[in-house]
Amino acid sequence: MKTKAARINLITLLLLTTVLTTKGKDIHVAPTGSQTGEGTRVNPFGTIKQAQLYARSFVGKEPVTIYLSDGIYYLGETLEFTPKDSGNKEFPVYYKALNQGKAILSGGQKLTLKWKTYKNGIWVAKVKGDLDIDQLFVNGIRRDMARYPNSVAGKNVFNKWDLRHSWKDQEKGNKAEKGSDALSPERIAPWKNPEGAYVHAMHAYLWGDMHWLVKGKDANGELILEGGWQNNRPSPMHKKYRFVENVFEELDAPGEWFFDKRSGKLYYYPLSGTDLEKATVEVVSLRHLIEFNGSREQSVHHVNLAGLTFKHAARVFMDNKEQLLRSDWTVYRGGAVLFNGAEYCTVSRCEFDQVGGNGIFVNNYNRFIDISSCYIHHSGANGVAFVGDPDMVRSPVFRYGPQDYENLDLTPGPKGDNYPANCRVYDCIITKTGRDEKQTAPVQISMSFGINVSHCSIYDVPRAGINVSEGTFGGHVIENCDVFNTVLETGDHGSFNSWGRDRFWDPSNANVDREVAKNPRLPFLDMIEPNILRHNRWRCDHGWDVDLDDGSSYYRIYNNVLLNGGLKLREGFNRLVTNNVIVNNSFHPHVWYKESGDIFKNNIVFTHYMPAAMTRNMTIDEKWGETLDHNLFTSNNIDRLKFAINGADTNSIVADPLFLDPEQGDFRVEFTSAALGLGFENFTMDNVGVVSPYLRAIAKTPVIPQIKIAPDTTPVEMENPKDLVFWWESRIEEPKADELSAYGVDFGMRGVAITFAPKHKKAWSLGLRTGDFITQVDGTAVSDMDSFLKTMGKKKKQNVVTFTLFRNQKPMTLEVKTKE
């Protein structure tokens, strides 16, 4: 396996050789060309397929450039590159727009229609041919299927509702008004024939989304649904965040449309000012516009796409079924551009405009795929996805659940090489992804190695900006990226989000602690090299800036600026977090293992740590990780020093860091700053995001927050054990806000958590455990600490009490015999 430096040098060499090679065979294609064309500028070919077949006579012998003149190329069928189309390092092959962005590859077709007025502002036209119309573009913009609730500009979840993040608003939001729900009997009753409609709904805990095809109505007038498999930790539909589309009776808003395939009639409610007689109307027919289809033995190589625009790829949410190991994700292996078995291929200076599924999908064996200087926006699913073969994973588990330690394969690394490796996403704007599928990301990485994401501007997305589904196989470098305005439609995530539910991982921390004590190398069997996050700027206003979830291990996180949501480490091993600036927030340790080996040092932190489900019993000195120390805090709030009993911050200090220019996002410190004495080192903070001038001209940047520095050197008393709440010889607390993530519950859920249940004490002996999150007692909801204690006080004379609770992020009931 090549080192990271070697990988970067090889990519640089690839770019230099392709850029410097200019002479060779030029072939021309134009929409106005003909089948009898000669491929010259004067007499071009009429289709890209013609040019491709002609180019095969020259590839590998001299550089070949297929120039695409301005216009729309309606492909008709997917353009497939095979090993026969391959160039080589000396003689690469280019498919290049003559003028950047003006050669448009379309997976659809243009309709010629004669419109007539229908009623209520709606027009109708007869469509020729046997078409299935899933997307309609009018004058280049995708319009909504007839839906309820209607789309509203400026809203978040499914373009209708504002997403609420406090538990109070969540609780209110889950109570739909009578008749307003898309699936209420009152709503469904007028629908004469909803077969072919779709139901889209968020996960009950807002972890993602699910989709169903309507097969019709049953005898009770309820919808017959098929689907719901798009989430690897499925749940009931969210009670509020859901909608139905493709229902004729819901065609009631400008911009909506409905196609009746039986009659061949297309109905459209045009926006004000639209002249349908002159409007360009297009529909979608292809899922994939271009496929690179090779293999490890015979790859497609040195074929490059440059300056092209990709449009009109089909939606694929109903085929998003494949489980991605124990992450929450499922996937559809396809995209507007699909790589299978390719090497040294590039996609540069291209635009992906409103494609219905993934923009670019790098599937299984691929090496040195370079995606650079692209503008990817309004895709239905992921922007760029790298996904390997689960058969390469040793002892794979595909659903959230326990590991079989007795039969665990202990051989390090993958079984083979059928996965993406040594690929790069560089200098790209990726925004407004996940228009149809919310469990997606601008950059998604799973079962891959050595993916480099650098100088990208990523923003305005429903979930994480960059997502790493599991530790297999590590070696990823995320650097110089600007990632913000994320987690707009989901919950319990961050601008960066990862899982590490690898071979070592089990929902039970006790099991993991036991097995890792026997074999300390267990957490690192699946990771070849650590993942690195460096020199990035992160901002998440609806979650954490950086969120390393369940078991994420072997990370190096340094020289990052976190602007709002802080940094979270849940479970996991061997995370080194150093030299970061965490603005107006702090470090969130969640549910750590006893011997995590984690290090958090030399950081500038604004507020006290925010632990969740961590041992904080004042009579037990349990150290957190290897080192939490030598950090500078900007305020000496009352909670900060209470974590000293867990071995934290013996040498940390409180001081004004003396930032140079925080209003402009420069959080470097003056030479007299006390942070430098603690080991903090200044680093460049203005080298994030895209670098191409034409991309920088359109890229957004995050809002720089007004910093809140209020240093107070007044000594703070340690937390008084008498003030702690103990119940049945265990410690209980009332988790709020971000702490709820530690228990695997929705931010809107309320209850109390057992933060420490000592072995053989009363609560433990009766079956309760550290980490239990109690929501009900004998069917009565407990919303806070007071209601829980009052409810339990009323149960003193009962012999049996039944608790409804979450344990290891799963709901369960526990019957407790309080008296023998």
Side-chain angles (χ1 to χ4, degrees):
M1 188 63 63
K2 298 183 183 297
T3 64
K4 289 189 286 291
R7 294 199 300 272
I8 299 302
N9 287 337
L10 280 170
I11 290 174
T12 303
L13 179 62
L14 164 68
L15 294 175
L16 285 174
T17 55
T18 55
V19 169
L20 294 176
T21 305
T22 57
K23 295 181 179 180
K25 182 67 177 178
D26 292 346
I27 302 170
H28 290 267
V29 189
T32 56
S34 68
Q35 291 295 323
T36 58
E38 297 175 343
T40 63
R41 183 76 178 266
V42 175
N43 190 14
F45 290 124
T47 68
I48 303 172
K49 185 70 174 179
Q50 280 179 278
Q52 176 193 23
L53 296 176
Y54 179 63
R56 286 178 177 175
S57 300
F58 307 97
V59 296
K61 303 172 185 177
E62 59 181 312
V64 176
T65 302
I66 295 89
Y67 285 103
L68 279 66
S69 296
D70 298 359
I72 302 178
Y73 296 80
Y74 293 108
L75 296 178
E77 62 180 11
T78 300
L79 181 64
E80 181 182 18
F81 295 126
T82 72
K84 295 179 182 179
D85 299 296
S86 296
N88 54 47
K89 183 170 69 173
E90 185 179 3
F91 303 133
V93 177
Y94 269 91
Y95 286 76
K96 183 177 182 180
L98 193 61
N99 296 295
Q100 181 173 333
K102 294 186 178 181
I104 300 170
L105 275 62
S106 168
Q109 59 182 294
K110 182 179 177 180
L111 300 183
T112 301
L113 303 170
K114 292 184 179 180
W115 292 99
K116 298 180 181 180
T117 57
Y118 176 62
K119 63 179 180 181
N120 299 328
I122 300 169
W123 293 65
V124 63
K126 184 73 174 179
V127 177
K128 297 179 181 179
D130 184 23
L131 293 181
D132 288 314
I133 302 180
D134 179 64
Q135 294 178 85
L136 186 77
F137 288 75
V138 180
N139 293 332
I141 304 299
R142 194 182 85 166
R143 297 305 179 190
D144 290 329
M145 281 181 166
R147 56 172 278 174
Y148 182 82
N150 292 330
S151 178
V152 178
K155 299 294 183 177
N156 282 332
V157 182
F158 293 129
N159 299 324
K160 171 58 183 176
W161 298 273
D162 285 314
L163 181 58
R164 310 298 183 184
H165 290 275
S166 72
W167 61 263
K168 291 182 179 179
D169 287 332
Q170 281 282 359
E171 187 176 64
K172 294 175 183 177
N174 271 326
K175 296 177 180 178
E177 297 177 9
K178 184 177 181 181
S180 67
D181 178 24
L183 300 183
S184 68
E186 298 93 335
R187 200 79 225 174
I188 295 173
W191 300 345
K192 293 179 180 178
N193 184 15
E195 182 180 358
Y198 295 107
V199 175
H200 308 273
M202 296 301 291
H203 190 283
Y205 301 149
L206 296 175
W207 290 342
D209 60 323
M210 295 163 287
H211 311 265
W212 290 261
L213 173 66
V214 178
K215 307 292 285 187
K217 286 186 184 181
D218 64 17
N220 297 320
E222 295 180 351
L223 298 182
I224 303 170
L225 302 178
E226 177 183 85
W229 45 63
Q230 294 87 355
N231 198 292
N232 204 17
R233 293 181 70 185
S235 78
M237 295 183 194
H238 197 281
K239 295 178 181 178
K240 178 180 180 183
Y241 301 134
R242 57 194 186 190
F243 78 100
V244 176
E245 67 172 355
N246 206 28
V247 176
F248 182 65
E249 288 80 3
E250 299 300 343
L251 180 53
D252 59 359
E256 290 186 347
W257 62 274
F258 178 83
F259 178 60
D260 186 344
K261 185 175 181 180
R262 284 178 290 269
S263 66
K265 292 181 178 180
L266 175 64
Y267 299 85
Y268 180 57
Y269 192 152
L271 297 171
S272 177
T274 301
D275 184 347
L276 286 182
E277 296 300 323
K278 297 179 181 179
T280 299
V281 179
E282 296 163 303
V283 296
V284 177
S285 55
L286 298 181
R287 293 184 172 199
H288 307 160
L289 278 58
I290 291 181
E291 292 183 3
F292 292 73
N293 288 324
S295 64
R296 181 183 185 279
E297 294 72 26
Q298 288 188 300
S299 65
V300 183
H301 51 86
H302 298 92
V303 177
N304 308 284
L305 309 176
L308 306 171
T309 295
F310 297 90
K311 294 191 73 167
H312 307 145
R315 302 190 299 177
V316 292
F317 53 81
M318 289 306 297
D319 291 305
N320 181 356
K321 298 181 179 181
E322 182 184 338
Q323 299 168 331
L324 286 182
L325 299 181
R326 282 192 285 186
S327 78
D328 293 356
W329 288 52
T330 57
V331 73
Y332 167 76
R333 292 180 183 264
V337 173
L338 172 63
F339 286 96
N340 280 306
E343 298 176 329
Y344 299 100
C345 294
T346 68
V347 182
S348 63
R349 293 177 285 109
C350 290
E351 179 179 359
F352 290 77
D353 178 6
Q354 304 172 88
V355 298
N358 302 308
I360 300 172
F361 198 96
V362 184
N363 184 53
N364 292 335
Y365 179 85
N366 288 277
R367 296 294 184 272
F368 300 103
I369 305 303
D370 195 80
I371 301 158
S372 62
S373 304
C374 291
Y375 178 33
I376 302 171
H377 61 94
H378 293 90
S379 63
N382 298 290
V384 182
F386 300 88
V387 182
D389 181 358
D391 286 343
M392 298 299 99
V393 180
R394 300 179 187 276
S395 300
V397 180
F398 290 90
R399 270 283 165 87
Y400 186 97
Q403 180 58 276
D404 180 7
Y405 289 109
E406 292 186 4
N407 297 300
L408 198 64
D409 184 343
L410 297 177
T411 306
K415 291 181 180 179
D417 60 4
N418 194 28
Y419 52 84
N422 305 334
C423 301
R424 183 176 75 155
V425 183
Y426 170 75
D427 182 35
C428 293
I429 293 177
I430 313 179
T431 181
K432 295 290 180 69
T433 57
R435 296 304 85 205
D436 296 290
E437 303 175 49
K438 308 308 176 183
Q439 190 84 317
T440 54
V443 179
Q444 157 68 351
I445 302 171
S446 174
M447 295 174 286
S448 301
F449 172 76
I451 306 303
N452 178 258
V453 185
S454 60
H455 280 291
C456 290
S457 294
I458 295 172
Y459 49 83
D460 295 348
V461 293
R463 202 179 175 285
I466 299 173
N467 189 86
V468 178
S469 282
E470 68 286 309
T472 53
F473 300 102
H476 312 311
V477 178
I478 315 298
E479 57 188 349
N480 300 108
C481 290
D482 203 8
V483 188
F484 58 96
N485 210 28
T486 61
V487 195
L488 297 179
E489 300 180 57
T490 62
D492 198 10
H493 305 123
S495 286
F496 176 85
N497 195 197
S498 67
W499 289 282
R501 300 171 189 161
D502 303 331
R503 271 182 273 178
F504 76 89
W505 190 84
D506 188 276
S508 167
N509 280 18
N511 290 344
V512 175
D513 284 335
R514 181 188 67 244
E515 296 299 325
V516 173
K518 293 190 292 186
N519 181 0
R521 290 300 306 162
L522 197 61
F524 313 106
L525 294 179
D526 284 316
M527 295 191 69
I528 300 169
E529 292 180 7
N531 292 332
I532 297 173
L533 276 61
R534 64 188 178 198
H535 296 284
N536 304 289
R537 181 167 63 183
W538 310 92
R539 175 162 184 162
C540 185
D541 289 44
H542 309 107
W544 299 272
D545 294 334
V546 174
D547 177 10
L548 271 62
D549 215 344
D550 296 0
S552 297
S553 299
Y554 207 16
Y555 273 77
R556 304 292 179 259
I557 303 175
Y558 57 90
N559 293 2
N560 297 274
V561 175
L562 287 72
L563 292 177
N564 187 75
L567 183 146
K568 166 190 160 189
L569 300 184
R570 179 188 172 101
E571 300 168 346
F573 293 89
N574 194 355
R575 282 84 58 98
L576 173 60
V577 182
T578 183
N579 219 70
N580 303 280
V581 180
I582 303 179
V583 179
N584 293 342
N585 208 300
S586 189
F587 177 44
H588 299 243
H590 284 200
V591 201
W592 280 15
Y593 300 124
K594 289 182 179 179
E595 301 296 333
S596 70
D598 288 336
I599 295 174
F600 183 84
K601 67 177 183 179
N602 310 134
N603 302 285
I604 297 176
V605 182
F606 273 58
T607 64
H608 65 85
Y609 298 145
M610 299 183 185
M614 301 281 284
T615 300
R616 283 182 281 166
N617 184 274
M618 300 308 294
T619 62
I620 293 181
D621 185 357
E622 184 168 323
K623 187 179 180 182
W624 292 351
E626 181 178 322
T627 302
L628 276 74
D629 206 353
H630 294 92
N631 300 297
L632 185 146
F633 290 82
T634 67
S635 60
N636 196 5
N637 46 61
I638 196 167
D639 289 318
R640 189 180 71 80
L641 293 180
K642 70 181 181 181
F643 306 122
I645 197 167
N646 303 109
D649 295 303
T650 302
N651 300 290
S652 296
I653 66 171
V654 176
D656 186 332
L658 303 177
F659 293 128
L660 288 177
D661 193 0
E663 290 81 7
Q664 299 302 316
D666 187 352
F667 295 96
R668 291 176 299 166
V669 300
E670 298 178 8
F671 73 94
T672 56
S673 171
L676 299 175
L678 291 171
F680 179 83
E681 297 179 0
N682 278 326
F683 58 94
T684 302
M685 299 181 181
D686 59 358
N687 190 29
V688 296
V690 290
V691 296
S692 296
Y694 77 97
L695 290 177
R696 288 184 68 87
I698 62 173
K700 291 183 179 181
T701 56
V703 174
I704 304 300
Q706 182 177 354
I707 63 172
K708 304 170 185 176
I709 295 180
D712 176 6
T713 56
T714 304
V716 177
E717 294 295 328
M718 294 293 292
E719 188 175 18
N720 188 338
K722 293 181 180 180
D723 296 333
L724 302 179
V725 179
F726 287 90
W727 168 79
W728 282 6
E729 300 179 298
S730 67
R731 178 172 178 174
I732 60 174
E733 293 184 6
E734 182 185 332
K736 296 178 180 178
D738 293 348
E739 291 182 347
L740 290 163
S741 171
Y743 303 94
V745 299
D746 177 29
F747 282 13
M749 195 165 288
R750 304 180 68 185
V752 298
I754 299 179
T755 57
F756 186 63
K759 285 186 177 181
H760 309 302
K761 297 294 184 178
K762 184 175 180 181
W764 189 92
S765 299
L766 293 175
L768 292 161
R769 295 292 180 264
T770 299
D772 285 351
F773 182 86
I774 300 171
T775 60
Q776 294 181 18
V777 177
D778 284 341
T780 300
V782 289
S783 58
D784 52 29
M785 187 75 73
D786 287 343
S787 66
F788 174 74
L789 294 174
K790 288 178 182 178
T791 301
M792 289 305 302
K794 298 176 181 178
K795 308 291 181 181
K796 287 182 178 180
K797 297 182 180 181
Q798 288 186 198
N799 295 327
V800 177
V801 176
T802 300
F803 295 99
T804 302
L805 55 86
F806 280 76
R807 177 177 295 173
N808 294 329
Q809 302 193 40
K810 288 186 176 181
M812 62 174 289
T813 58
L814 178 69
E815 188 177 272
V816 173
K817 295 182 179 180
T818 59
K819 296 181 180 180
E820 295 295 334

